[in-house]
Structure formats: structure tokens, C-alpha cells
Amino acid sequence: MAGRRAAHPDVELHHEVVRGHPVQVLTQASAHALGLIVGTRGRGGFTGMMLGPVSQGVLHHAQCPVITVPHPEHVQQRSR
């Protein structure tokens, strides 16, 4: 997030380290969030098409909108 805060001073940003299983922690956070952004690496037989276990779990259990963002490496592979 370096440099982003200066460019967007009106955006509130908090950094927090939380222990626990990612799906459970993100699902709990979703109760108080306007939205979650979750990265995915597209693991599995159809690289770039499948969600990993964390992004899939969050999509099923979140209490707010979820945006999944593919890993940049997989975006490049699909555009070839």
C-alpha cells in the first residue's frame, strides 16, 4: 500500500494481523465490511478457471460482496 495513502488521503486504511484459518477470519471480518477482495491463483486442472479453497470458502460464507482477483501470472497465461 506504499504510496497509495498519499494519493488517496480520503480512503481509510487499516493494517491488522489476525491468527486463524483464512476462511474463518475473513468470514468473520465480512460481517463488518462493505466488501472483501480475495486473490486466487487458479489451482487445479483448469488453471485460472478454478478458485482455491480460501477464495471458494469466503465466497460461500461471506456476509458482504466478494471480489476475486486472479494472480497476475495467470492473467498473462490466459491472454496468450
Side-chain angles (χ1 to χ4, degrees), residues 51-69:
L51 299 174
V54 172
S55 53
Q56 190 170 48
V58 170
L59 280 170
H60 285 286
H61 301 289
Q63 299 174 40
C64 67
V66 178
I67 299 168
T68 58
V69 180

Side-chain angles (χ1 to χ4, degrees), residues 21-35:
H21 190 278
V23 173
Q24 182 180 16
V25 170
L26 290 168
T27 298
Q28 289 173 351
S30 75
H32 307 287
L34 294 175

Side-chain angles (χ1 to χ4, degrees), residues 7-46:
H8 304 281
D10 55 327
V11 176
E12 193 173 324
L13 176 65
H14 299 277
H15 290 159
E16 183 177 354
V17 177
V18 182
R19 289 182 154 204
H21 190 278
V23 173
Q24 182 180 16
V25 170
L26 290 168
T27 298
Q28 289 173 351
S30 75
H32 307 287
L34 294 175
L36 292 175
I37 299 173
V38 182
T40 182
R41 294 185 182 199
R43 302 265 170 125
F46 302 100

